[in-house]
């Protein structure tokens, strides 16, 4: 009989399993970027082949290559690819922001020179080339009136047109409307100005002006509305299509009529996007020069009546001052451009806040 003796030896303690992988130090990416910029500076300026822009481009390429090599050595190939693509995405964001930041900085730095009370309280009437005074009060008034009238004409019409296309439009007629809206989206601003010049200024306005064609701010508003309409229609159409179908179906199941469903359910749901589209259209209209020059004529005096006599706008004022030979004109042009951007920004923020407030109230 064989007896098997089993020795009870103590087993070695199990090693804790760690899931942590090696990672680059948080200082590695800044160090690689700094080294890439230094090397790029040496290459570009040493060879004399470019300036700061080329230094940034070469430095970015070297940074991506260096980051991939370092991450591949420490973290592995998969993590290196992830870091490289993340760096590319962040670089694309920076490249997109840089022009905007440059424009804002240029506007603020050069437009601050004439950012005073005289600029906002006076016009260019009786201002000579050697006079440092003069302002854009008449242009601000013209811009507000022309864009305001264009918005009053365009926004209701554009929203109703989009509602018809999405909610009611079927067949060839809806297809034709959508097609012509798409065509109007690419119309140059000078074409809309020529259309209003040929139709309103030369044909219609003589009936109200003793047989003489009359330039006016209202004619400029009509030209701007031609430019705004396709933007409002297309943006509103896309926002209405994004409203979930169950919202409509739930209202219909409760016996709510279709028109009331659109008014109380669909439009409030799509309101933030509609407001964004409307503000894009207003921003485009406020920056147009050619239609205002063709049908409003511009002017140096203040004109509060948009239906009579010439009227200016901020965009037209910038164009005129930029081409003026006076040494004081460029400062006025930069300040007017800054004012135009600030005006559109304020209107956009106000519209967004109003839409958000209405949404919260519901």
């Amino acid at each position: 009989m064989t007896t098997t003796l089993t020795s009870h030896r103590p087993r070695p303690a199990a090693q804790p399993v760690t899931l942590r992988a090696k990672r680059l130090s948080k200082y590695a990416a800044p160090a690689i970027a700094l080294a890439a910029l230094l090397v790029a500076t040496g290459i570009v300026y040493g060879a004399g082949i470019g300036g700061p822009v080329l230094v940034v481009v070469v430095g970015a390429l070297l940074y991506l290559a260096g980051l991939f090599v370092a991450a591949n050595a420490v973290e592995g190939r998969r993590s290196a690819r992830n870091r490289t693509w993340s760096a590319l995405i962040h670089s694309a964001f920076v490249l997109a922001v840089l022009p905007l930041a440059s424009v804002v900085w240029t506007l603020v730095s050069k437009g601050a020179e004439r950012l005073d009370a005289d600029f906002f309280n006076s016009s260019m009437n009786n201002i000579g080339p050697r006079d440092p005074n003069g302002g854009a009060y008449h242009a601000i008034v013209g811009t507000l009136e022309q864009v305001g009238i264009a918005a009053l004409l365009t926004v209701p019409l554009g929203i109703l047109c989009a509602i018809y296309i999405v909610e009611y439009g079927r067949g060839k007629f809806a297809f034709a409307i959508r097609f012509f809206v798409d065509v109007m989206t690419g119309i140059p601003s000078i074409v809309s100005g020529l259309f209003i010049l040929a139709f309103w200024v030369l044909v219609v306005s003589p009936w109200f002006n003793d047989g003489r064609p009359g330039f006016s701010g209202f004619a400029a508003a009509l030209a701007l509305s031609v430019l705004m309409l396709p933007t409002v229609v297309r943006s509103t159409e896309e926002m209405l299509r994004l409203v979930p179908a169950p919202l409509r179906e739930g209202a219909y199941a409760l016996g709510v009529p279709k028109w009331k469903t659109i008014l109380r359910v669909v439009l409030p749901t799509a309101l933030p996007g509609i407001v964004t589209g409307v503000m894009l259209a207003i921003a485009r209209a406020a920056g147009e020069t050619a239609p205002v020059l063709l049908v409003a004529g511009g002017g140096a005096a203040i004109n509060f009546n948009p239906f009579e006599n010439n009227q200016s706008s901020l965009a037209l004022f910038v164009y005129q001052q930029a081409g003026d030979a006076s040494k004081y004109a460029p400062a006025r042009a930069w300040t007017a451009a800054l004012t135009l951007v600030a005006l559109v920004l304020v209107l956009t923020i106000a519209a967004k806040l109003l839409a958000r407030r209405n949404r919260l109230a519901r």
Side-chain angles (χ1 to χ4, degrees), residues 60-61 63-65 67 80-96:
L61 295 176
Y63 168 72
L64 292 174
L67 183 64
R81 288 199 299 266
N82 179 59
R83 280 185 176 272
T84 304
W85 281 107
S86 298
L88 280 172
I89 293 171
H90 287 89
S91 301
F93 170 75
V94 172
L95 288 176

Side-chain angles (χ1 to χ4, degrees), residues 18-29:
T18 176
L19 297 180
R20 292 185 179 180
K22 292 181 179 180
R23 295 186 60 85
L24 283 176
S25 171
K26 63 179 180 179
Y27 303 107

